[in-house]
């Protein structure tokens, strides 16, 4: 073999060994990050990895001449540079709240629970048709700001004569953060009761969407909270308790997930620090209270594009190429760590079915044709809540039922207002409790 070829083979071999060493050190860093829960912004894992690499490099170079002893340190330097990027914040570590909305004033209410929440009020646009009972909106998330799309829908309800209030959960949107340990599924239920008391207008009607619907379901199972509610609308709820969250089931008809164009815009997950932090948190290898990134930093970093195909999953397949912009970059707010923490407390919670069966607050369930929710999350509410007086199966829409497309908003308003006013439903009462087995079989 020619000398040049031999040199090339040796170089390739050394390069591969160096690459393997870099990879090994990166894996060690990630493992130590998980083991230390990201202590010290990842510096504990980084310094330990650097020390291990330096010791190994010295051992490998112990029999070499002085200049050659430095060669084993090259993979250590490269790995140190790569992993150092995980330890350095690229966004402010103090919470940056979204700017004020131009079309509604933001109030801040301090609740008896200790939460300080951002509140939005849409008074009846036509006082002549004003309805006497306030309507309170609980948005989805959990721990996500109210989108501009939802604000527009609330304005539409106000134009129907409703006195509409909405507030963002503690930690979401313009509301103040909580210590991570206080994010539990019971906290927003207690906040709801405290909010109604702070409103001081007697009983209220509640519209709860997605995780807000799950929170409303749990509120109905709590006699003390349910006593403050006049009527409840549970729209596309998430799992209400641990047993429900563990149910393996199917979803609605095909959504736009995998069909819609990829979301554009900056992604925090393109930055090594946040890709590692959010990735390991999602895998359960870092706790939501990780020392790698603080709650405020994570909130500041997370963008709408980071939701990926989750947004598309809220629309029917037929709408894949006309999904509306749900929010603006300035208004978007989501707390991934707090959201994971609340979801875990739902999974860990005992059944509320027995308590829910005792509820007497009149309720309505709304189910979307192309729902991205597990069907049993929705039908479990219907099966265990005798106070659910009607179910409205909404054809032609996905999880985000009021989305500004076609007449979807008007149809949702018609369903909601008919129930609140005790008028006949615009759609058949479907499914009923007896029809749940057939519904689960036929609508998938």
């Amino acid at each position: 073999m020619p000398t040049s070829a031999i040199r090339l083979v040796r170089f390739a071999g050394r390069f591969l060994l160096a690459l393997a060493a870099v990879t090994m050190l990166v894996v060690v860093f990630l493992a130590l990050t998980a083991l230390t829960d990201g202590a010290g912004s990842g510096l504990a894992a980084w310094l330990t990895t650097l020390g291990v690499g330096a010791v190994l490099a010295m051992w490998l170079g112990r029999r070499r001449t002085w200049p050659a002893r430095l060669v084993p340190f090259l993979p250590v330097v490269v790995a140190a540079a790569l992993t150092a990027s995980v330890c350095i914040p690229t966004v402010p570590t103090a919470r940056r709240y979204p700017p004020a909305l131009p079309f509604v004033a933001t109030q801040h209410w301090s609740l008896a629970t200790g939460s300080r929440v951002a509140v939005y009020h849409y008074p009846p646009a036509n006082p002549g048709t004003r309805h006497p009972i306030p309507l309170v909106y609980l948005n989805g998330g959990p721990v996500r700001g109210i989108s501009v799309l939802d604000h527009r829908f609330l304005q539409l309800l106000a134009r129907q004569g409703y006195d509409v209030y909405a507030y963002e959960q503690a930690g979401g949107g313009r509301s103040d953060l909580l210590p991570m340990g206080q994010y539990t599924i019971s906290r927003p239920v207690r906040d709801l009761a405290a909010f109604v008391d702070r409103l001081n207008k007697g009983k209220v009607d509640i519209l709860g969407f997605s995780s807000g619907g799950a929170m409303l379901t749990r509120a109905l199972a709590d006699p003390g909270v349910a006593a403050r509610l006049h009527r409840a609308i549970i729209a596309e709820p998430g799992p209400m308790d641990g047993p429900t969250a563990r149910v393996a089931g199917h979803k609605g008809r095909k959504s736009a997930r995998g069909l819609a164009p990829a979301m554009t815009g900056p992604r925090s997950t393109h930055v090594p620090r946040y890709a590692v932090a959010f990735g390991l948190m999602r895998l359960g290898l870092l706790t939501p209270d990780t020392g790698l990134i603080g709650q405020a930093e994570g909130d500041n970093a997370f963008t709408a594009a980071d939701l990926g195909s989750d947004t598309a999953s809220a629309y029917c397949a037929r709408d894949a190429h006309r999904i509306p912009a749900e929010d603006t970059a300035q208004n978007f707010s989501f707390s991934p760590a707090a959201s994971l923490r609340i979801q875990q407390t739902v999974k860990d919670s005992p059944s509320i079915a027995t308590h829910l069966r005792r509820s007497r607050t009149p309720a309505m369930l709304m189910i979307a044709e192309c729902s991205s929710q597990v069907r049993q999350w929705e039908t479990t509410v219907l099966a265990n809540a005798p106070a659910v007086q009607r179910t409205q199966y909404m054809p032609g829409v996905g999880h985000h039922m009021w989305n500004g497309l076609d007449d979807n908003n008007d149809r949702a308003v018609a369903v909601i207002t008919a129930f609140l006013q005790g008028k006949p439903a615009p759609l058949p009462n479907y499914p009923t409790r007896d029809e749940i087995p057939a519904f689960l079989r036929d609508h998938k």
Side-chain angles (χ1 to χ4, degrees):
M1 183 181 292
T3 302
S4 59
I6 293 174
R7 289 175 178 173
L8 182 61
V9 170
R10 288 177 177 172
F11 174 79
R14 289 169 181 165
F15 176 79
L16 290 174
L17 284 173
L19 184 60
V22 171
T23 302
M24 180 196 72
L25 289 171
V26 170
V27 170
V28 168
F29 169 76
L30 293 176
L32 288 171
T33 300
L35 287 172
T36 61
D37 199 24
S41 195
L43 285 174
W46 186 80
L47 290 172
T48 304
T49 303
L50 186 61
V52 169
V55 170
L56 183 60
M58 287 189 290
W59 184 80
L60 291 173
R62 70 191 186 283
R63 295 180 181 176
R64 301 183 184 185
T65 58
W66 171 243
R69 289 182 181 179
L70 297 177
V71 174
F73 282 90
L74 182 60
V76 179
V77 173
V78 173
L82 289 174
T83 53
S85 61
V86 178
C87 305
I88 302 172
T90 60
V91 300
T93 56
R95 182 70 175 108
R96 291 184 308 181
Y97 293 94
L101 291 164
F103 49 80
V104 63
T106 305
Q107 306 173 51
H108 284 92
W109 290 7
S110 295
L111 305 180
T113 56
S115 298
R116 186 169 181 268
V117 297
V119 181
Y120 310 94
H121 180 210
Y122 292 103
N126 183 357
T129 60
R130 178 170 185 153
H131 299 281
I133 298 174
L135 174 61
V136 177
Y137 177 62
L138 304 176
N139 67 300
V143 201
R144 179 175 175 176
I146 300 174
S147 70
V148 170
L149 198 62
D150 280 5
H151 275 289
R152 290 175 185 150
F153 184 67
L154 299 179
Q155 291 172 324
L156 184 57
L157 288 169
R159 287 198 289 274
Q160 302 297 313
Y162 289 92
D163 193 18
V164 180
Y165 290 83
Y167 68 94
E168 290 163 320
Q169 293 177 46
R174 296 165 185 80
S175 294
D176 287 5
L177 306 181
L178 293 174
M180 190 58 66
Q182 294 186 26
Y183 289 108
T184 65
I185 188 55
S186 61
R187 179 59 175 260
V189 175
R190 288 187 285 115
D191 281 350
L192 171 59
F195 179 85
V196 176
D197 291 344
R198 173 70 171 74
L199 185 59
N200 195 29
K201 292 191 175 184
K203 287 189 175 184
V204 300
D205 292 325
I206 303 280
L207 169 60
F209 167 65
S210 194
S211 63
M215 176 171 52
L216 177 54
T217 303
R218 295 184 69 93
L220 293 175
D222 184 324
V225 183
R228 297 168 167 87
L229 312 183
H230 177 252
R231 285 179 176 250
I233 300 170
I234 304 167
E236 282 285 289
M240 67 183 192
D241 54 23
T244 309
R246 291 189 288 272
V247 168
H250 51 259
K251 302 180 181 180
R253 302 197 191 280
K254 188 172 180 57
S255 75
R257 181 188 289 270
L259 301 175
M263 291 189 69
T264 59
R267 294 174 183 252
S268 68
T269 47
H270 288 171
V271 179
R273 177 172 176 82
Y274 307 111
V276 169
F278 296 145
L280 293 182
M281 270 194 278
R282 195 168 185 85
L283 292 171
L285 298 175
L286 288 180
T287 67
D289 203 16
T290 176
L292 183 58
I293 61 170
Q295 178 188 172
E297 183 188 348
D299 293 5
N300 293 339
F302 202 89
T303 69
D306 287 320
L307 294 173
S309 59
D310 283 357
T311 298
S313 71
Y315 294 83
C316 290
R318 67 178 72 93
D319 297 325
H321 295 282
R322 59 169 193 158
I323 293 175
E326 294 192 342
D327 215 344
T328 64
Q330 294 75 25
N331 185 63
F332 178 82
S333 171
F334 182 69
S335 179
S339 182
L340 285 173
R341 175 88 168 80
I342 288 180
Q343 291 177 57
Q344 187 59 52
T345 66
V346 173
K347 294 176 184 176
D348 294 340
S349 67
S351 172
I352 64 169
T354 301
H355 301 287
L356 189 58
R357 292 187 193 111
R358 301 189 187 114
S359 176
R360 295 296 177 265
T361 302
M364 178 177 72
L365 178 65
M366 295 177 70
I367 301 176
E369 178 185 6
C370 309
S371 177
S372 56
Q373 305 290 75
V374 174
R375 286 297 195 197
Q376 285 82 347
W377 294 351
E378 302 161 336
T379 57
T380 297
V381 176
L382 177 60
N384 290 285
V388 172
Q389 298 178 346
R390 64 176 73 165
T391 303
Q392 300 285 268
Y393 177 75
M394 306 291 291
V397 294
H399 179 59
H400 205 156
M401 292 181 285
W402 39 85
N403 51 39
L405 298 176
D406 303 327
D407 63 344
N408 294 340
N409 282 13
D410 292 333
R411 291 194 295 131
V413 165
V415 164
I416 291 168
T417 57
F419 175 70
L420 294 180
Q421 297 173 32
K423 295 180 178 179
L427 296 173
N429 180 29
Y430 175 77
T432 63
R433 289 176 186 83
D434 293 339
E435 294 170 325
I436 289 176
F439 175 77
L440 293 175
R441 182 184 65 245
D442 299 338
H443 291 273
K444 58 182 179 180

